[in-house]
Amino acid sequence: MKIIAVIPARYEASRFPAKLMQMLGEKTVITTTYQNVVETGLFDEVFVATDSEIIFDEIVKNGGKAVMTGQHETGSDRIAEAVQNIDCDIVINVQGDEPFLKLEPLQQLIEVFHNDENQEISLASLKIKLTEKEEIENPNNVKVITDNNGFALYFSRSVIPFHREISYDVSYFKHIGVYAFRKHALIQFSKLEMKPLEISEKIECIRYLEYGMKIKMIETNFIGVGIDTPEDLEKARKIISE
C-alpha cells in the first residue's frame, strides 16, 4: 500500500484566526506539525493542503510540500481535492493544530488497514479516555461512543453517554482528530452532501456515519495539545520550552 499524510490547513480558523502561523519556539505551529509528521518516516509523501498563500509559502520556504485548494467547510473535503490526482491507497489526515503527534498512534492507524482483509473499514481514527469532569463536559472536546468491536456509533460535543444509572460506571472518550482514510472512501465523502447531524454538531466524521460507512476507533494513550484557543497555544509553548 502507498500511504501518504496530508495536513489540512486553514488560515482563518473561526475560534483562533491565524493560529497555525503562531510561533512555537523558533517555528510556526504548521511547520512544527509538518516536520514532526515527516520525521516519523511512515509516509511515502507528506503534504499540507491549504487555501492560504501565507501557509503555502510558509511550508515551501521551509523545504516542505504544499498543495493549494479551494475553500472547503471541512478538512476532509480539502484533503479529497488535494489527493484526487495523487496515486495512493491510504491517506492519513493529521490536523495542522496537533503539533506533537507521535509515531505510535500513527502506526496503529496504518495497522488497521493491514488487518482489514475484507476492506470493510472506510476510515480509522483515535480516541483517548477522559477522566476529568471539566474535560468531559467541555464542548470543544468531541466525545465518541463505540460498539463492542470498536466501531464508532456516534460523535458529539455533548456528554455521551448520559450517565443516568449512577450505580454503573461508564467510560468517556475524546475523539482525537487524526484520520486514516481509504482514498476511495475519502473521495466518496467529498461528493456527499452534509446531513442535519453533521451540520448541527459541526463534526465532519458524522457524515460517514450518516451514510452508513464504518469508522474504526483505536484507543491511545497519546496526549497531545490541540491548539484551538490562545490558552492551548501557551500550553504548547511550555512544552517546547521544557
Side-chain angles (χ1 to χ4, degrees):
M1 292 190 297
K2 182 176 180 180
I3 302 171
I4 68 170
V6 182
I7 305 168
R10 291 179 61 223
Y11 186 81
E12 295 294 342
S14 57
R15 282 178 287 177
F16 187 3
K19 66 182 181 180
L20 297 183
M21 291 298 295
Q22 301 300 311
M23 298 303 295
L24 278 180
E26 298 180 353
K27 295 183 286 190
T28 61
V29 171
I30 189 61
T31 296
T32 301
T33 302
Y34 179 88
Q35 292 180 352
N36 284 348
V37 174
V38 170
E39 287 171 7
T40 66
L42 293 174
F43 304 106
D44 295 292
E45 293 183 280
V46 180
F47 299 91
V48 167
T50 184
D51 58 6
S52 165
E53 292 185 5
I54 294 172
I55 291 175
F56 181 93
D57 292 342
E58 165 70 9
I59 294 300
V60 171
K61 79 177 183 182
N62 285 287
K65 296 180 180 180
V67 177
M68 285 294 293
T69 70
Q71 295 185 350
H72 294 283
E73 285 290 321
T74 73
S76 296
D77 288 311
R78 186 180 308 284
I79 291 174
E81 179 188 342
V83 304
Q84 276 189 18
N85 298 316
I86 296 175
D87 178 27
C88 61
D89 300 293
I90 304 298
V91 181
I92 308 293
N93 169 358
V94 178
Q95 300 295 332
D97 59 5
E98 281 275 0
F100 305 121
L101 191 61
K102 301 296 183 182
L103 176 71
E104 184 179 354
L106 294 175
Q107 287 177 317
Q108 290 176 299
L109 290 177
I110 292 169
E111 193 65 24
V112 166
F113 296 97
H114 285 302
N115 295 331
D116 184 27
E117 296 180 359
N118 296 325
Q119 298 193 13
E120 63 177 354
I121 298 172
S122 296
L123 67 153
S125 195
L126 300 173
K127 65 177 183 178
I128 187 169
K129 185 174 287 188
L130 292 174
T131 57
E132 300 296 327
K133 185 173 184 289
E134 181 181 353
E135 291 296 303
I136 292 168
E137 295 178 350
N138 185 345
N140 290 326
N141 290 334
V142 173
K143 275 69 71 176
V144 60
I145 51 176
T146 62
D147 67 15
N148 289 333
N149 295 314
F151 288 101
L153 293 171
Y154 193 60
F155 300 85
S156 183
R157 298 185 184 278
S158 297
V159 178
I160 53 173
F162 178 76
H163 197 182
R164 181 177 179 180
E165 180 50 71
I166 61 174
S167 66
Y168 184 80
D169 287 334
V170 295
S171 296
Y172 295 91
F173 290 92
K174 175 183 176 180
H175 177 219
I176 298 175
V178 181
Y179 303 94
F181 307 92
R182 291 196 187 278
K183 180 185 174 181
H184 66 79
L186 178 61
I187 299 301
Q188 180 184 356
F189 169 92
S190 69
K191 296 176 181 178
L192 299 172
E193 67 174 304
M194 290 186 185
K195 292 290 188 179
L197 293 176
E198 178 189 3
I199 294 170
S200 175
E201 295 261 20
K202 296 292 282 187
I203 301 172
E204 64 192 73
C205 50
I206 291 177
R207 193 184 315 177
Y208 288 92
L209 299 181
E210 290 187 274
Y211 283 95
M213 299 185 199
K214 286 192 170 184
I215 304 175
K216 181 73 170 181
M217 300 301 302
I218 303 298
E219 185 174 355
T220 180
N221 293 322
F222 165 73
I223 301 176
V225 179
I227 300 175
D228 292 316
T229 66
E231 292 74 22
D232 294 333
L233 179 63
E234 290 307 313
K235 291 179 185 177
R237 284 173 172 165
K238 288 180 181 178
I239 292 173
I240 286 286
S241 64
E242 290 177 354

